[in-house]
């Protein structure tokens, strides 16, 4: 196939190209099959971009199918969150949302077919007995005493299972394959179990639920999936997948291909661990901006395009990987550097009084983006008293400090050149106010233009501004690979630092979630917890990779 230049290439696309060339498939049909037992995370984004991306590029289709066979752990809230995350990432599934539970009747009937063919049996052994008979990786298993029950009898037992006549755990349906197989999944796996549980889609209709391995391949076949893409831990399960498809009377033969899952430094991508973070209140919820969930990244200020770009940059292979956090951060920085409008905010304010400034203040004009005129300009109130960062002033400093120093000049971004003349201090010796003079002739002039000023600092009017809570986020974990480390030891206790600062008044009308660059400080976005009384901003990412510096 002739491919457009910017299309990714990977081993899966090579397989698809080959299948289309040789006529194995005429069209490409993929699916994204989440279990609705948690929110989606950045690892799922990799799978979403792969499946939906392939469908897009090959003019195929991609289904969204909820693999909902564990009613106790699943919920409709997760279903809804997952749907909205997929759409937010920029993808639309083909037709209606599918549910494995929508195929429960067909799955049941295929199980009966296996029973009739003598390829499945109802086992009344206890869990303990079944575990012993399963054998180990080095020892073959042994046959269950129920293995040779006649099909008619098995059919009756299975009917009773479905009718609720047996208690939970009393028996289960197993595929009759090979107890000596070197692949544990092939040692007569359980394909149906009894669960008296209410299901979010099917209610109380069923008290038997099919197991994942049995469900997944049949659901793929029912939907006519051509390439069933999943992560490497399902490699062995492929044998069972193929066995089921071969032994039931279904037309299509989907093929499963495995790729390596995404692991990201300084975070965890297992739903079990993410749930633990939420339920033990280590974070404020699934959408806490420190979470690697799609909802968390969105609230943090990540854009769908930056996440798609990340998935493209990491690629798809079969190799184990631990991707650096800086790679994800580079993607959002590259996006926001071009697209985010600029504004000013002071996170740790100290008052600067301009002693020779006359009048009631004025409105200056500032460009919203230094290299993009189409982003326009905004009004910027300038007053006799302004706030600057405490860090941007020193009574004395060496030449490397390019900010405001007593008796020296600095340019106020988008405004004038000022010169510090004296300070006020409290009884503890902390500076409370800096006094300066300004030069009215320096408005808007480039510092290089004839006038030697050391540097440029940002500011916000002390008279016309908006107070704002500014949340600075850092890595949630302090170790690169927190998997296998106790949460208490691995969590970064400084992952959230809250500042009470001030922002330009123009920020009142900022859109929730839409990024802005606070000049010299970082990229931020207004948080959903903002109100008219209190603005709240989340730091999406710092302007530069400060961790790279610390680590080197
Ligand atoms: P967990 O193991 O954390 O519970 P899961 O894999 O069971 O996650 P599912 O809802 O079953 O979660 O995943 C849906 C799809 O997303 C599957 O095809 C799965 O392979 C894929 N997926 C899940 N995690 C990752 C990851 N870290 N990287 C790439 N793909 C992933
Ligand atoms: Mg899973």
């Amino acid at each position: 196939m002739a491919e457009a230049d910017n299309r990714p290439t990977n081993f899966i696309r090579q397989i698809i190209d080959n299948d289309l060339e040789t006529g194995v498939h005429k069209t490409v049909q993929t699916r994204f099959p989440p279990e609705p037992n948690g929110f989606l995370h950045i690892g799922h984004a990799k799978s979403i971009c792969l499946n939906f991306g392939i469908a897009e590029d090959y003019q195929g289709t991609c289904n969204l199918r909820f693999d909902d066979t564990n009613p106790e752990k699943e919920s409709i809230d997760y279903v809804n969150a997952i749907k909205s995350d997929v759409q937010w990432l920029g993808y639309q599934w083909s037709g209606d949302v599918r549910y494995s539970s929508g195929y429960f009747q067909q799955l049941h009937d295929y199980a009966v077919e296996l029973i009739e063919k003598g390829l499945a049996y109802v086992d009344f052994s206890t869990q303990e007995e079944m575990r012993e008979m399963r054998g180990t990786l080095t020892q073959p298993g042994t046959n269950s005493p129920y293995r040779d029950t006649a099909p008619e009898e098995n059919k009756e037992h299975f009917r009773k299972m479905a009718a609720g006549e047996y208690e939970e755990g009393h028996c289960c349906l197993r595929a009759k394959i090979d107890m000596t197989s070197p692949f544990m999944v092939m040692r007569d796996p359980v394909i149906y179990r009894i669960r008296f549980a209410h299901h979010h889609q099917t209610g109380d209709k069923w008290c038997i639920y099919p197991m994942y391995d049995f469900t997944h391949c049949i659901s793929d076949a029912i939907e006519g999936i051509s390439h069933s893409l999943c992560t490497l831990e399902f490699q062995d399960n492929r044998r069972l997948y193929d066995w089921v498809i071969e032994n039931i009377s279904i037309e299509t033969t989907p093929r499963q291909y495995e790729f390596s899952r995404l692991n990201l430094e300084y975070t965890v991508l297992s739903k079990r661990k993410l749930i633990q973070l939420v339920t033990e209140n280590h974070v404020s919820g699934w959408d806490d901006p420190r979470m690697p969930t799609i909802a968390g990244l969105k609230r943090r200020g990540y854009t769908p395009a930056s996440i798609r770009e990340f998935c493209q940059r990491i690629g798809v292979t079969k190799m184990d990987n631990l991707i650096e956090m800086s790679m994800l951060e580079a993607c959002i920085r590259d996006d926001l550097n071009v697209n985010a409008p600029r504004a000013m905010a002071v996170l740790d304010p100290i008052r600067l009084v301009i002693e020779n400034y006359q009048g009631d203040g004025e409105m200056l004009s500032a460009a919203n983006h230094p290299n993009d005129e189409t982003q326009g300009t905004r009004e910027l109130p300038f007053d006799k008293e302004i706030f600057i960062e405490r860090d941007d002033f020193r009574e004395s400093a060496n030449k490397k400090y390019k900010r405001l120093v007593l008796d020296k000049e600095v340019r106020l971004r988008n405004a004038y050149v000022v010169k510090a003349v004296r300070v006020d201090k409290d009884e503890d010796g902390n500076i409370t106010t800096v006094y300066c003079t300004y030069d009215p002739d320096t408005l808007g002039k480039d510092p290089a233009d004839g006038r030697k000023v050391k540097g440029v600092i940002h500011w916000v009017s002390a008279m016309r501004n908006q107070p704002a809570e500014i949340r600075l986020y850092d890595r949630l974990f302090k170790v690169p690979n927190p998997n296998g480390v106790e949460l208490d030891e691995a969590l970064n206790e400084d992952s959230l630092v809250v500042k009470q600062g001030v922002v330009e008044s123009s920020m009142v009308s900022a859109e929730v979630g839409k990024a802005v660059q606070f000049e010299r400080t970082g990229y931020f976005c207004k948080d959903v917890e903002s109100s008219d009384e209190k603005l709240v901003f989340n730091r999406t990412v710092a302007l530069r990779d400060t961790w790279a510096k610390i680590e080197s």
Side-chain angles (χ1 to χ4, degrees):
M1 269 195 87
E3 285 196 349
D5 284 341
N6 58 349
R7 279 200 198 176
T9 57
N10 56 51
F11 75 98
I12 291 172
R13 283 172 181 256
Q14 282 164 12
I15 290 168
I16 294 175
D17 287 339
N18 191 54
D19 284 351
L20 292 171
E21 256 164 45
T22 57
V24 174
H25 293 287
K26 285 203 183 61
T27 56
V28 176
Q29 271 168 293
T30 57
R31 85 287 170 271
F32 173 63
E35 186 182 353
N37 61 351
F39 276 54
L40 297 183
H41 53 61
I42 184 81
H44 291 114
K46 174 175 179 176
S47 176
I48 292 170
C49 292
L50 177 66
N51 280 294
F52 283 93
I54 283 175
E56 262 174 25
D57 289 349
Y58 290 90
Q59 280 92 50
T61 55
C62 181
N63 291 349
L64 172 63
R65 179 174 74 239
F66 288 100
D67 237 328
D68 53 351
T69 55
N70 291 309
E72 291 109 326
K73 291 190 173 164
E74 299 163 2
S75 82
I76 193 74
D77 294 341
Y78 292 137
V79 168
N80 292 331
I82 289 170
K83 287 199 289 195
S84 92
D85 285 349
V86 170
Q87 287 175 319
W88 181 77
L89 277 174
Y91 296 108
Q92 186 56 49
W93 47 89
S94 158
D96 291 337
V97 172
R98 330 279 162 127
Y99 297 87
S100 292
S101 57
Y103 311 134
F104 277 174
Q105 186 61 50
Q106 283 149 286
L107 289 157
H108 169 275
D109 297 348
Y110 285 124
V112 172
E113 183 184 346
L114 288 180
I115 294 172
E116 286 171 344
K117 288 178 172 165
L119 292 174
Y121 60 97
V122 175
D123 197 326
F124 292 87
S125 308
T126 63
Q127 292 216 344
E128 183 57 38
E129 286 166 342
M130 280 184 40
R131 195 174 312 125
E132 268 165 30
M133 287 186 285
R134 196 172 297 130
T136 64
L137 282 174
T138 49
Q139 277 192 320
T142 48
N143 287 351
S144 160
Y146 300 93
R147 198 172 199 265
D148 293 319
T149 312
E152 276 313 306
E153 208 179 314
N154 280 319
K155 241 175 111 171
E156 178 57 11
H157 289 315
F158 190 53
R159 187 198 62 75
K160 285 187 176 173
M161 278 174 69
E165 293 176 30
Y166 293 129
E167 278 169 39
E168 248 182 63
H170 187 60
C171 56
C172 60
L173 184 69
R174 298 176 73 178
K176 188 170 170 179
I177 309 179
D178 180 5
M179 290 306 292
T180 64
S181 171
F183 298 96
M184 298 298 281
V185 291
M186 298 300 272
R187 295 186 186 173
D188 291 11
V190 176
I191 58 176
Y192 258 98
R193 61 201 173 127
I194 302 169
R195 280 282 183 283
F196 289 94
H198 186 83
H199 190 285
H200 52 98
Q201 301 297 322
T202 58
D204 296 315
K205 181 158 186 243
W206 296 90
C207 64
I208 53 168
Y209 289 97
M211 300 299 286
Y212 171 84
D213 281 327
F214 183 67
T215 310
H216 193 73
C217 52
I218 297 179
S219 304
D220 278 348
I222 290 172
E223 293 176 12
I225 301 304
S226 56
H227 300 80
S228 176
L229 312 177
C230 67
T231 36
L232 278 172
E233 68 270 22
F234 294 104
Q235 208 158 10
D236 285 356
N237 305 56
R238 181 180 358 109
R239 283 159 219 277
L240 177 51
Y241 185 109
D242 291 343
W243 183 91
V244 172
I245 295 299
E246 266 162 40
N247 286 292
I248 61 172
S249 53
I250 201 159
E251 299 278 304
T252 49
T253 307
R255 285 273 169 249
Q256 175 182 301
Y257 300 97
E258 308 89 13
F259 61 95
S260 55
R261 53 193 300 132
L262 166 69
N263 298 299
L264 191 59
E265 273 187 348
Y266 298 99
T267 192
V268 290
L269 293 181
S270 129
K271 276 192 249 174
R272 193 178 52 75
K273 295 237 175 74
L274 295 174
I275 287 174
Q276 193 187 351
L277 289 170
V278 173
T279 53
E280 293 179 5
N281 296 316
H282 297 294
V283 294
S284 65
W286 283 100
D287 68 345
D288 185 300
R290 292 165 293 178
M291 290 282 272
T293 52
I294 305 299
L297 290 165
K298 174 183 175 190
R299 186 165 166 198
R300 175 96 170 237
Y302 274 74
T303 59
S306 69
I307 296 175
R308 291 196 303 264
E309 172 66 19
F310 172 71
C311 292
Q312 172 128 349
R313 286 188 197 175
I314 57 175
V316 175
T317 70
K318 278 182 172 289
M319 271 175 300
D320 259 347
N321 58 77
L322 183 59
I323 303 291
E324 290 176 10
M325 193 56 112
S326 57
M327 191 138 164
L328 179 61
E329 291 177 349
C331 293
I332 186 65
R333 260 191 218 109
D334 288 354
D335 178 340
L336 299 185
N337 181 35
V338 175
N339 296 308
R342 273 50 170 173
M344 292 194 287
V346 177
L347 274 50
D348 185 10
I350 183 171
R351 191 174 293 267
L352 185 73
V353 177
I354 305 162
E355 292 188 305
N356 62 337
Y357 191 83
Q358 308 294 324
D360 297 333
E362 64 194 297
M363 271 301 181
L364 305 179
S365 165
N368 286 332
H369 196 286
N371 318 315
D372 181 5
E373 280 178 17
T374 65
Q375 294 206 23
T377 58
R378 67 186 186 283
E379 291 196 315
L380 192 59
F382 187 81
D383 290 295
K384 187 178 175 70
E385 295 191 12
I386 63 174
F387 288 123
I388 62 170
E389 299 283 356
R390 187 166 287 277
D391 255 4
D392 281 342
F393 175 77
R394 295 263 191 286
E395 286 181 89
S396 61
N398 69 21
K399 286 206 174 75
K400 281 189 194 147
Y401 185 81
K402 295 203 169 27
R403 311 181 200 178
L404 185 60
V405 182
L406 213 49
D407 292 328
K408 304 269 163 59
E409 288 190 325
V410 81
R411 172 170 290 276
L412 298 173
R413 177 81 180 139
N414 297 311
Y416 304 95
V417 171
V418 292
K419 179 180 186 178
V421 292
R422 65 192 169 87
V423 297
D424 272 352
K425 294 183 183 176
D426 62 17
E427 53 266 32
D428 298 327
N430 298 316
I431 298 169
T432 52
T433 310
V434 179
Y435 296 89
C436 69
T437 56
Y438 89 121
D439 180 345
D441 280 342
T442 52
L443 180 62
K445 285 184 190 150
D446 193 289
D449 262 13
R451 195 163 183 114
K452 254 195 170 176
V453 282
K454 275 180 158 185
V456 183
I457 63 173
H458 59 272
W459 56 277
V460 169
S461 163
M463 288 145 164
R464 292 177 286 171
N465 64 49
Q466 279 297 319
E469 174 173 316
I470 299 177
R471 300 176 180 169
L472 304 178
Y473 299 104
D474 202 346
R475 296 162 172 184
L476 190 49
F477 291 93
K478 56 188 169 197
V479 293
N481 186 357
N483 294 294
V485 184
E486 287 297 318
L487 275 189
D488 291 344
E489 281 165 45
L491 281 168
N492 172 12
E493 47 285 326
D494 299 324
S495 62
L496 171 58
V497 173
V498 177
K499 298 277 187 189
Q500 302 302 334
V502 289
V503 298
E504 283 180 31
S505 337
S506 64
M507 285 296 106
V508 179
S509 55
E511 209 179 297
V512 169
K514 197 165 174 300
V516 22
Q517 185 195 102
F518 288 153
E519 295 198 58
R520 298 180 63 234
T521 306
Y523 295 100
F524 294 79
C525 70
K526 201 194 253 183
D527 188 68
V528 279
E529 287 176 3
S530 284
S531 64
D532 288 348
E533 293 83 55
K534 187 178 134 193
L535 293 187
V536 179
F537 282 89
N538 297 320
R539 182 172 67 191
T540 311
V541 68
L543 290 182
R544 273 170 291 276
D545 186 355
T546 46
W547 277 92
K549 247 192 268 163
I550 291 165
E551 275 161 359
S552 66

